């Protein structure tokens, strides 16, 4: 089947068959791991042309590698972008995207609910580089508009957000950014392209911590950016090449393998996520549940509009706050107490003291994240076993 014919197929088929551009050298169905740091040139002249950008080809794995190029091609294909850039981690992707879009003396308008590491980058390192970050409650696009300045070059969103599962109206925020001549970035880690494609909604850049659902097995740290050819060329040539946050060919290969099972994994995570969210929402010891697939989620209508499913992350608060929450976490037997998310294993953690310990108490309160909030990354085990574990753990609270 030609690449053109493949485009009309369903997303699940695209994940398995890819863009139809299998390894051209050998016909290998799965792209081999090109575990080589450097690539032989045929002449001094060819080397000069490669470095001058007058000729396409591989030079050195920090700048590009065939296994990584295959991953980038497939991620661009699935997110409907022109090009992609794979990096060593989600944070390498975030810092590379920001430094590509924004320079000293310019500003970013960002959601105030972000992964704790991104928040730390925005609060500490970027101000040192004279990049201002204005964090706003981006669940209401009007707050984004109010914060925009003439020097704002980037609107930075995370939807659904870690850990509150709040949403940003991607189409509305992107339209505002464009009015001001700025780009919009959406961290699409939680939804994955299976449930949400921000570029189709008007965003300019998509970011993934590929450590999570793209890998799916908890065995890789990686990040990916998808955007226009111009943005990705600049991110690669002007920032990643200099800061050096490249991905290893082996990790690119693991992610290519992860992509093939993304649809079945996400369906199962989401099926289980809904069951866990519903179970908790009816439990007498639970105060609150945050899950975009529940009609009680304040942005349920937006979730239905911009996502085709709700995913495997559930946040909740036990009556009795942090102490009671810690008792619950200590009582689980099947689930693993661990940060990260998107793994086949179910992981449980407390953001205020772990992933979001970079937020002050005041910042957590402003975002509406209670100190005792618990986040579960629901895995692909049988959901009855997960509910049984929660039931026995809640019995000890
Ligand atoms: N974006 C989101 C939404 C994330 O959840 C994370 C990591 C990152 C970016 C950064 O990606 P990394 O560099 O770790 O690949 N989130 C984590 C979490 O919730 N627990 O541990 C890491």
């Amino acid at each position: 089947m030609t690449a053109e014919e493949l485009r009309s197929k369903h997303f699940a088929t695209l994940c398995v068959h890819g863009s139809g551009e299998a390894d051209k050298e050998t016909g290998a169905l799965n792209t081999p791991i090109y575990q080589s740091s450097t690539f032989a040139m045929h002449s001094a002249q060819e080397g000069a042309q490669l470095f001058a950008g007058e000729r396409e080809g591989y030079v050195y794995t920090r700048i590009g590698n065939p296994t990584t190029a295959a991953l980038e091609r497939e991620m661009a294909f699935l997110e409907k972008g022109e090009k992609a850039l794979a990096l060593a981690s989600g944070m390498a992707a975030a810092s590379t995207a920001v430094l590509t879009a924004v320079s000293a003396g310019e500003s970013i308008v960002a959601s105030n609910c972000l992964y704790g590491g991104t928040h730390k980058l925005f609060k500490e390192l970027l101000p040192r580089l004279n990049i201002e970050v204005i964090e706003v409650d981006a669940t209401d696009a009007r707050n984004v508009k109010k914060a925009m300045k003439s020097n704002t070059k980037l609107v930075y969103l995370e939807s659904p957000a870690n850990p509150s599962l709040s949403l940003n109206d991607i189409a509305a925020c992107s339209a505002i950014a464009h009015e001001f001549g700025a780009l919009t970035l959406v961290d699409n880690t939680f939804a994955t392209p299976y449930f949400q494609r921000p570029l189709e909604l008007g965003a300019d850049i998509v970011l993934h911590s590929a450590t999570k659902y793209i890998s799916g097995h908890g065995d890789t740290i990686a990040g990916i950016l998808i955007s226009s050819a111009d943005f990705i060329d600049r991110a690669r040539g002007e920032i990643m090449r200099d800061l050096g946050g490249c991905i290893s060919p082996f990790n690119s290969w693991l992610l290519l393998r992860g992509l093939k099972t993304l649809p079945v994994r996400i369906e199962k995570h989401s099926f289980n996520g809904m069951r866990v969210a519903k179970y908790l929402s009816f439990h007498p010891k639970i105060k609150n549940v945050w899950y975009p697939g529940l009609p009680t989620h304040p942005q349920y209508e937006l979730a239905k509009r911009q996502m085709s499913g709700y995913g495997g992350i559930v946040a909740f608060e036990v009556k009795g706050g942090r102490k009671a929450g810690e008792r619950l976490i200590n009582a689980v037997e099947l689930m693993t107490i661990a940060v990260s998310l998107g793994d086949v294993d179910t992981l449980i953690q407390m953001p205020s003291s772990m992933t979001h310990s970079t937020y002050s108490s005041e910042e957590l309160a402003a975002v509406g994240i209670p100190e005792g909030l618990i986040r579960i990354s629901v895995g692909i085990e049988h959901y009855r076993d997960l509910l049984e574990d929660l039931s026995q753990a809640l019995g000890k609270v």
Side-chain angles (χ1 to χ4, degrees), residues 274 277-278 281-282 289-304 310:
M274 180 65 94
K278 279 192 177 154
S281 64
F282 288 114
V289 179
W290 288 262
Y291 184 68
L294 291 181
T296 48
H297 188 285
Q299 295 166 295
Y300 179 59
E301 290 306 318
L302 176 60
K304 281 200 290 187
Y310 308 111

Side-chain angles (χ1 to χ4, degrees), residues 319-334:
K319 285 178 188 163
R322 179 167 174 174
K323 282 274 168 294
E326 286 178 346
R327 273 200 292 280
L328 171 83
I329 290 177
N330 289 337
V332 296
E333 289 169 356
L334 183 66

Side-chain angles (χ1 to χ4, degrees), residues 89-92 115 118 158 162 187 189-190 207 209-212 221-223 339-341 349 355-356 375:
S89 67
M91 287 311 301
Y115 163 58
T118 312
E158 193 176 289
N162 188 354
D187 185 328
T189 299
F190 275 34
L207 179 147
S209 166
T211 311
K212 313 294 170 11
I221 298 281
V339 298
S340 201
L341 57 100
Q349 65 112 9
T355 53
H356 290 70
R375 189 192 75 190

Side-chain angles (χ1 to χ4, degrees), residues 17-159:
H17 286 263
S19 58
E21 296 179 44
D23 191 67
K24 288 200 181 85
E25 294 290 310
T26 63
L29 186 56
N30 293 297
T31 305
I33 308 169
Y34 288 92
Q35 193 71 23
S36 183
S37 53
T38 196
F39 298 84
M41 297 155 183
H42 299 98
S43 66
Q45 289 73 19
E46 185 189 333
Q49 286 169 347
L50 283 164
F51 272 87
E54 292 161 2
R55 192 187 179 111
E56 294 248 323
Y58 297 102
V59 173
Y60 189 58
T61 281
R62 171 156 47 75
I63 304 165
N65 172 280
T67 314
T68 300
L71 169 67
E72 292 166 343
R73 188 180 65 230
E74 298 313 328
M75 281 303 299
F77 182 63
L78 296 175
E79 283 283 10
K80 315 278 185 214
E82 287 177 0
K83 278 192 179 179
L85 176 66
L87 298 110
S89 67
M91 287 311 301
S95 53
T96 295
V98 161
L99 294 177
T100 304
V102 187
S103 297
E106 296 176 339
S107 68
I108 298 172
V109 172
S111 164
N112 63 0
C113 190
L114 298 167
Y115 163 58
T118 312
H119 174 69
K120 182 173 180 296
L121 168 72
F122 286 2
K123 198 164 64 162
E124 294 175 11
L125 183 57
L126 294 188
R128 271 177 53 200
L129 303 178
N130 194 22
I131 293 172
E132 186 190 7
V133 184
I134 306 147
E135 288 195 352
V136 298
D137 174 3
T139 60
D140 184 343
R142 285 171 301 188
N143 295 333
V144 172
K145 186 160 190 167
K146 269 188 243 149
M148 295 295 288
K149 304 203 323 192
S150 57
N151 71 353
T152 303
K153 298 293 179 210
L154 183 66
V155 171
Y156 197 106
L157 307 173
E158 193 176 289
S159 187

